[in-house]
Amino acid sequence: MRNLLSQLPADTAVLDALQGVTDGVVDLVGFEVCAVSIAQDEHTLETMVVSGSGDVRDQLLGLRASIADVEQQLAGSDPWHGLHCLRHDRPQRDGTGDDAAGWPPLDLLAAPVRDASNRLRGLVQIHLSRELQDPDEAAFDVLTRLVDQARHTVLNAIDRDRLVERVRLADAARLIVRRASSELSMDRIMELSQPAMASGFEAVGMWMQTFDEDGEATDLVYGATQGEIVIPDDLKELGRRIALQLWDSQQVAVATDRVVPAIDGLFPEEEQRVYEFMADTLDATSLLFVPLGAGRECLGNLALTRRSAHLDWSESEKQAASDIGHDLGRALLNARTFERERRLAAELLELDGYKSRLISTLAHELKNPLTAIAGHAEMLDSMVDLPGGVRHSIAAMERGAARMQHTIDDLLVLAEVDGSQRPLAPGSVDMPDLVRDVLDLLHTTIAAKGTKITVETAEESITALGEASGLDLICTNLVSNAVKYTPPEGAVTISLSRTDDEVEVAVTDTGIGIAEEDLGSLFQEFFRSTNPAAYVEPGTGLGLAIVQRIVDRHAGRIQVSSTLGVGTTFTVTMPAAPRSDDAGLSPSA
């Protein structure tokens, strides 16, 4: 329990009530002096209220006495009507109040004030009977009532102080929750939690044990405040067992250098291990053990230690610690979830890198023999007087080799842009110029199908912030797809626009469209539409996957809208270059 004096000096109501009691003893019962002492801490009483002459008040106010010494004097006192008579070189009083010799001047009466744990928290002292006689029956009744009133006043003040203590601890708990719940590292959680917990609970030591998820690895221990604490594996396992039981019953436990709490399945040799660990390693006399968890799952435990002969844990402290066990359990669950996701992300990144390396390796390995096949097919085709069937076979070989070469080229591009470890090196890219270059590249294909191409752009230069090679691949794939899947004499429109910080490229065709059930899979590698009209067109199913990866690398977005049999629009949005970079670039229409 905390120091009652830390609250009482400022509490005039308590002091006034005690002053009324001591004044009553002096005025109504017939004693010269009455004083009330209150526990300053676990070791000291201090006299805080005195009634009597001014000289006596000056002598006694603020006087301190050792609680251990007072307890020793009380143990050697004589009982007197429920009080303690502290004698001064006199034979023992018989406790009846009929001592014919009268009241010895140097004897005094004492009424101890004890809390629920039987600890001495205050003392009422009564000195010097005026008549040097025991009080009569009426005066004794008044004395008894006044002493009881003093006891109730002090104990009520203690109860109120316990409520103040609980509020203080709750504030410390909220502080911990606010700081720790948003953290995703256990080390950081402990760094923020330890000062508040050690201060709020007046603990000399604190550490936290977290349980591993699969039960195979050794549980981890974080942050002892009293120096480096090494907990043996057998005690970690014991801590896990106890925490699981306490979490099921939603309780905390207190272990002392004399008593270990009753835990199911705890063997005598394990109790002895706890005693030895507290004495030899922790140098602690009391330990508060708190399970940590969230929902039904126990995730760890928290231990707080104290080092004092009579430093127990109050019920309010136990309740506050239990609440903190829930708060830290939620923070621990968040940290565990984040760590799991971080590991998964790292594994996925490694897998993605492995896939890219595998694709690149296979593509290169295929490219060399394919080059040889294509070269020899070309040599055979140059020979004269070949039968028609042979020339037909050579032509089929050349078409197959060209198709394989196209697939290999796409695989190499995909491996380069998919999860690329190379950092992006963006620059200002004039989009109207880039679109003109793409149309020049695709001129033969466009002319063969008679596709009408329209470019719509503002009367200004539109510059994107990105890598020219990547943006070129985006436009080339989108425009070539639009032409491929648009019937002859169809139309393709390329629209360029800019806001303050973004550039938008939209490619719209009047082609066969995309079935609604295919829209969600368009950007997957090797996906081919289920539409028969689209499936007959040659392709690798990698073009849109490449577009998606490049868009992601540029922190952009891609959207698609389509109506089957009517046409499709792909819209790519990406960061714009600063307008200051636009100077000197001529607009294109």
Side-chain angles (χ1 to χ4, degrees), residues 523-560:
F523 301 104
Q524 295 179 5
E525 297 96 328
F526 305 106
F527 175 77
R528 298 299 307 276
S529 173
T530 57
N531 185 351
Y535 203 78
V536 296
E537 294 288 343
T540 63
L542 293 173
L544 289 178
I546 292 172
V547 169
Q548 175 74 71
R549 303 309 190 276
I550 298 173
V551 169
D552 290 344
R553 269 180 57 79
H554 284 74
R557 304 183 303 277
I558 184 168
Q559 296 174 305
V560 57

Side-chain angles (χ1 to χ4, degrees), residues 107-363:
D107 283 7
L108 62 88
L109 290 177
V113 178
R114 299 187 182 276
D115 62 15
S117 300
N118 202 39
R119 291 180 301 176
L120 186 65
R121 309 310 303 159
L123 188 69
V124 181
Q125 304 170 69
I126 304 167
H127 302 257
L128 297 174
S129 169
R130 285 197 186 97
E131 305 299 330
L132 297 181
Q133 295 294 328
D134 292 348
D136 58 23
E137 185 175 347
F140 177 75
D141 289 341
V142 172
L143 176 62
T144 301
R145 288 196 298 270
L146 290 173
V147 168
D148 287 342
Q149 183 178 343
R151 283 196 180 104
H152 288 309
T153 300
V154 173
L155 292 177
N156 285 339
I158 290 174
D159 289 340
R160 186 172 60 183
D161 189 58
R162 283 174 176 161
L163 293 177
V164 172
E165 176 188 25
R166 184 163 184 172
V167 171
R168 177 177 63 88
L169 293 173
D171 288 341
R174 284 193 294 270
L175 178 63
I176 291 171
V177 172
R178 283 198 302 269
R179 290 181 177 178
S181 61
S182 61
E183 296 295 332
L184 298 175
S185 160
M186 284 310 306
D187 289 330
R188 181 61 176 159
I189 289 173
M190 288 301 295
E191 179 184 350
L192 294 175
S193 300
Q194 277 188 339
M197 291 285 287
S199 173
F201 287 89
E202 298 176 342
V204 296
M206 167 189 164
W207 71 90
M208 184 163 64
Q209 176 185 359
T210 62
F211 303 154
D212 59 272
E213 298 180 55
D214 54 16
E216 296 179 358
T218 302
D219 297 336
L220 298 178
V221 176
Y222 295 86
T225 54
Q226 61 185 64
E228 185 67 25
I229 297 295
V230 178
I231 300 182
D233 288 343
D234 63 324
L235 286 180
K236 289 181 183 179
E237 178 58 31
L238 180 59
R240 176 191 280 262
R241 283 168 42 203
I242 295 175
L244 291 174
Q245 289 191 37
L246 292 175
W247 184 256
D248 286 342
S249 60
Q250 290 295 292
Q251 293 179 335
V252 300
V254 173
T256 71
D257 54 359
R258 301 173 303 278
V259 178
V260 171
I263 300 294
D264 290 342
L266 192 64
F267 299 109
E269 57 270 22
E270 292 175 325
E271 292 185 10
Q272 185 61 36
R273 284 284 286 129
V274 173
Y275 292 136
E276 293 173 355
F277 183 68
M278 289 183 63
D280 300 339
T281 303
L282 302 182
D283 188 23
T285 57
S286 180
L287 182 148
L288 179 62
F289 189 86
V290 183
L292 309 179
R296 296 182 178 180
E297 185 177 7
C298 182
L299 302 170
N301 58 65
L302 172 73
L304 297 163
T305 58
R306 286 175 173 169
R307 188 181 299 129
S308 175
H310 302 288
L311 198 55
D312 297 333
W313 302 90
S314 68
E315 290 302 318
S316 60
E317 287 175 318
K318 294 177 185 177
Q319 182 59 51
S322 178
D323 294 340
I324 290 173
H326 287 76
D327 297 328
L328 287 178
R330 286 189 290 270
L332 177 58
L333 183 61
N334 291 339
R336 176 182 288 184
T337 302
F338 172 77
E339 179 61 23
R340 187 185 303 121
E341 292 176 350
R342 188 194 65 77
R343 289 198 305 266
L344 179 60
E347 291 171 1
L348 291 175
L349 185 62
E350 176 61 26
L351 181 62
D352 196 51
Y354 173 76
K355 181 185 73 174
S356 298
R357 293 192 299 272
L358 178 62
I359 291 174
S360 179
T361 300
L362 289 176

Side-chain angles (χ1 to χ4, degrees), residues 475-493:
C475 291
T476 299
N477 275 288
L478 293 181
V479 174
S480 63
N481 276 357
V483 173
K484 180 191 298 185
Y485 296 112
T486 297
E489 309 302 325
V492 174
T493 301

